[in-house]
Amino acid sequence: IPKVVANMLGIEWFGMSLIQTGGNYMTDGYGNSSSTTLVWEENYTLTHLQVAEKVHDYLGIDTYHVVQDPNGTYIDHIDCWAKFLAPDKILVREVPPTHPRYTQIEQAAAYWEGEICAYGYNYRVYRVNTPNNQPYTNSLILNKKVLVPIMNNNWDDSALIKYEEAMPGYEVIGLIGRPSTPWES
C-alpha cells in the first residue's frame, strides 16, 4: 500500500526490505523502538546488526531494543505484553506469582526499569494486571484517546484506571470485542 500511495501522490517510495509484523514493533517517537526476537527470526538472512542498521537508516531509530518474548506464545508480538505510552513511560503486563510465565514477565519489567528513555533517565514502568492473559497492552493511542481492548471481566476497570493514571489528559476508552470475534489474550 505505501508504494501505491507514493505512486498516486508522485512521491519517492523507499522500501526497507525488512519483514516486520505490526504487533511486534513499537516506538517512542524519539529514536527508541522495540521488538521481540521474532524480528530476527523473520529476517533470518540478515544479521542482528543489519536489522538494526535498517531500522536506523529507514526509521531513524538510534536505540533498538530487541528482547525475548516473556509470554512464550506462538505469536511473539511485543504488544501482547508491553506498550510505550510516552517517550518515558512503558506499560508492562503483570501476572500473579502462580502464573506459568511470572518469572519471565517480571524479568521483562525489570529490563525496562533499568533502561534509559529518550529524556535521559530510566523508563517509568506501569504495570497492568492480566491474570488471565487479558490483552490490555494491545491498545491504540490516537488523537489524545487510548482505545483499550477489554474482556468484560473483573480486571477491566483497574486496567482502564492504570491507563488514566499513566496518561493524564487522554480519554481512555475500553472496547469489548464482538461475541463472534472476541479479543484474544
Side-chain angles (χ1 to χ4, degrees), residues 84-143:
F84 280 142
L85 304 178
D88 64 342
K89 298 176 185 176
I90 186 169
L91 182 73
V92 176
R93 73 180 293 215
E94 185 173 32
V95 296
T98 55
H99 191 281
R101 302 303 290 186
Y102 173 79
T103 300
Q104 293 86 349
I105 292 166
E106 289 306 301
Q107 289 170 345
Y111 170 82
W112 286 106
E113 288 171 344
E115 290 300 306
I116 304 298
C117 74
Y119 299 150
Y121 51 84
N122 291 65
Y123 280 98
R124 293 188 281 171
V125 178
Y126 292 82
R127 306 297 300 274
V128 62
N129 190 17
T130 61
N132 295 315
N133 302 320
Q134 290 89 340
Y136 302 136
T137 56
N138 198 349
S139 63
L140 175 65
I141 302 168
L142 183 66
N143 297 331

Side-chain angles (χ1 to χ4, degrees), residues 5-148:
V5 171
N7 287 336
M8 283 181 13
L9 297 174
I11 58 176
E12 198 170 358
W13 171 76
F14 298 92
M16 191 166 55
S17 297
L18 185 73
I19 298 168
Q20 182 63 284
T21 0
N24 192 37
Y25 181 80
M26 65 178 181
T27 186
D28 68 359
Y30 285 86
N32 298 301
S33 290
S34 189
S35 298
T36 68
T37 56
L38 178 64
V39 70
W40 293 337
E41 295 166 26
E42 290 178 326
N43 295 281
Y44 60 90
T45 62
L46 301 174
T47 66
H48 298 176
L49 180 59
Q50 288 171 317
V51 170
E53 287 172 348
K54 283 185 179 284
V55 297
H56 177 268
D57 294 346
Y58 287 90
L59 304 175
I61 301 306
D62 296 318
T63 303
Y64 189 36
H65 300 270
V66 179
V67 297
Q68 288 291 326
D69 174 32
N71 285 336
T73 60
Y74 72 97
I75 198 165
D76 289 342
H77 289 184
I78 200 161
D79 64 3
C80 294
W81 58 272
K83 176 77 171 184
F84 280 142
L85 304 178
D88 64 342
K89 298 176 185 176
I90 186 169
L91 182 73
V92 176
R93 73 180 293 215
E94 185 173 32
V95 296
T98 55
H99 191 281
R101 302 303 290 186
Y102 173 79
T103 300
Q104 293 86 349
I105 292 166
E106 289 306 301
Q107 289 170 345
Y111 170 82
W112 286 106
E113 288 171 344
E115 290 300 306
I116 304 298
C117 74
Y119 299 150
Y121 51 84
N122 291 65
Y123 280 98
R124 293 188 281 171
V125 178
Y126 292 82
R127 306 297 300 274
V128 62
N129 190 17
T130 61
N132 295 315
N133 302 320
Q134 290 89 340
Y136 302 136
T137 56
N138 198 349
S139 63
L140 175 65
I141 302 168
L142 183 66
N143 297 331
K144 299 296 271 182
K145 292 180 176 27
V146 185
L147 308 176
V148 181

